[in-house]
Each structure stands twice: as structure tokens, then as C-alpha cells.
Amino acid sequence: MAVRTCFQAVRQRMAAALVLMLAAVSLGQAQEYPARTITMIVPFAAGGPADITGRIVADLLSRHLGQSVVVENVGGAGGTIGALRAARAASDGYTILSGHLGTNALVPAFYPDLGYDPQKDFAPVGLTAEYPELLVVRKDLPANNLREFVAYARANAGKLNVGHAGLGSVSYIGCLLLDAAIGIKPTLVPFTGTAPVLTAMLRGHRL
């Protein structure tokens, strides 16, 4: 019940954001928009938070616009591959990006030849979701809380592997901040999104 209630609350919040999105779209497009299917690029692998958020918004958009909104997962390079594809698409409102802090603010600091300018190539439409970053570990790791994890990490820093969604992603920045705060330098392992990291952990992989 708690999960269902939380999901309903998220949908309600996104529905409110959707009203603003639709208002912005109607101002920038002719009355016949949309006349065909819209593609929403999610720049990370399926199953992660960015993908879930994108699919909820796509479903709401489809209902309100009367046209299909198809989600296309284009993961890799901290979300920059998908963002670049969206930036190179025609500026006609039929390709939209479900971007976030990483793809639209952080990555320029990591990729000098990014291929797109987040400020010039994209126009913000609306905020759809906010969610926290969580630190999760394998079940067999001898740490039951953050204090125990910090102690374990400091004692085994050279043996730790930490998965993230790619250079410049929010999870990557989170890793850097945590590592700096507790004074460790583990091996950072890039994935195409958060979901593949969790899948690897659940399968018992050591990353």
C-alpha cells in the first residue's frame, strides 16, 4: 500500500508539471501539433530512475495530447549519447529529451568535446521529478548503516568497486563527493544507467 500511495503521489506531481509542459508546447507550436508520434529520448538504460520518470511522463503526455509518445533508451557516456541525439534532431517538437542535472549541467566539465551545448541546444520545458541519491551495497557486505560502511570502506578502500551511470552523471558526482568526504579512492565502474548497476549487484557480480 505504501508503494502504491507513493507512486500515486509521484503521478499527481508529474501531472501538475505536465500541465505546464502542455501550456509551453501549445505556445510554441501550431494548433495541429502534435500530428504524429513524439519520441522521448531517455539517455540511460531501461529500468532506472530516469527511465521510470520518462515513461510516466510519456504516458501522461500521450493521454493529454492524443498522440503516442514513444520512449527511446539511448544510454552511455553519462547520458551524453542520448542527449546528443536529441540535440541533433529536428527542432519541431517531435523529439524531446528527458534530461537531468547530469546531461544538462554537469557533463560539460567532463567532456570538452561534448558535441552539444546544453544552454543553446535545448529549451527547458518543465521540472518533472526530484529524487534523492541512495547508497546501496551487496547484502553480504559487513555494514548495516552508513557509519559501519564508512569504517569498512576506509579499511578496504583498495578493494572496493563502485558502480555509477557514467562519467558526468549524477551518480558519478555522488560517488566523487562521498569518496572525498570519507577519504577513500575506490575503483569507479561505469554502466549505461543505474538499473544495470543494481542488476549486477543483485546477481552477485563484483562489478
Side-chain angles (χ1 to χ4, degrees), residues 1-11:
M1 180 63 73
V3 174
R4 180 179 299 177
T5 301
C6 180
F7 183 74
Q8 290 175 342
V10 170
R11 288 184 64 87

Side-chain angles (χ1 to χ4, degrees), residues 13-207:
R13 183 170 184 175
M14 289 185 177
L18 178 62
V19 173
L20 298 178
M21 293 174 67
L22 292 175
V25 168
S26 64
L27 289 175
Q29 298 287 343
Q31 291 295 322
E32 64 271 15
Y33 177 86
R36 55 186 171 86
T37 298
I38 299 170
T39 297
M40 173 183 286
I41 295 178
V42 173
F44 293 98
D51 180 57
I52 293 172
T53 300
R55 291 182 185 279
I56 293 175
V57 173
D59 178 64
L60 292 171
L61 281 171
S62 295
R63 297 183 186 183
H64 286 272
L65 293 175
Q67 285 286 350
S68 296
V69 179
V70 178
V71 172
E72 180 181 357
N73 295 94
V74 186
T80 60
I81 296 176
L84 179 59
R85 180 177 296 188
R88 290 178 174 175
S91 301
D92 55 7
Y94 287 96
T95 301
I96 57 180
L97 174 70
S98 181
H100 64 21
L101 179 64
T103 56
N104 291 69
L106 300 177
V107 290
F110 297 92
Y111 294 95
D113 298 319
L114 189 57
Y116 68 91
D117 186 323
Q119 293 185 329
K120 295 180 180 179
D121 294 330
F122 296 112
V125 176
L127 178 66
T128 56
E130 296 178 353
Y131 35 78
E133 287 290 299
L134 299 177
L135 171 67
V136 295
V137 300
R138 299 192 319 270
K139 187 176 181 180
D140 61 344
L141 196 77
N144 297 309
N145 53 53
L146 184 58
R147 185 184 299 276
E148 292 181 2
F149 171 79
V150 171
Y152 179 86
R154 287 174 174 169
N156 300 272
K159 303 177 182 178
L160 287 181
N161 292 333
V162 181
H164 59 83
L167 184 67
S169 65
V170 175
S171 57
Y172 177 77
I173 299 300
C175 289
L176 295 183
L177 292 175
L178 177 63
D179 297 345
I182 64 180
I184 66 171
K185 292 184 178 181
T187 300
L188 300 181
V189 183
F191 285 76
T192 57
T194 303
V197 180
L198 296 176
T199 299
M201 290 181 58
L202 291 173
R203 290 178 176 175
H205 297 171
R206 300 285 172 170
L207 301 186

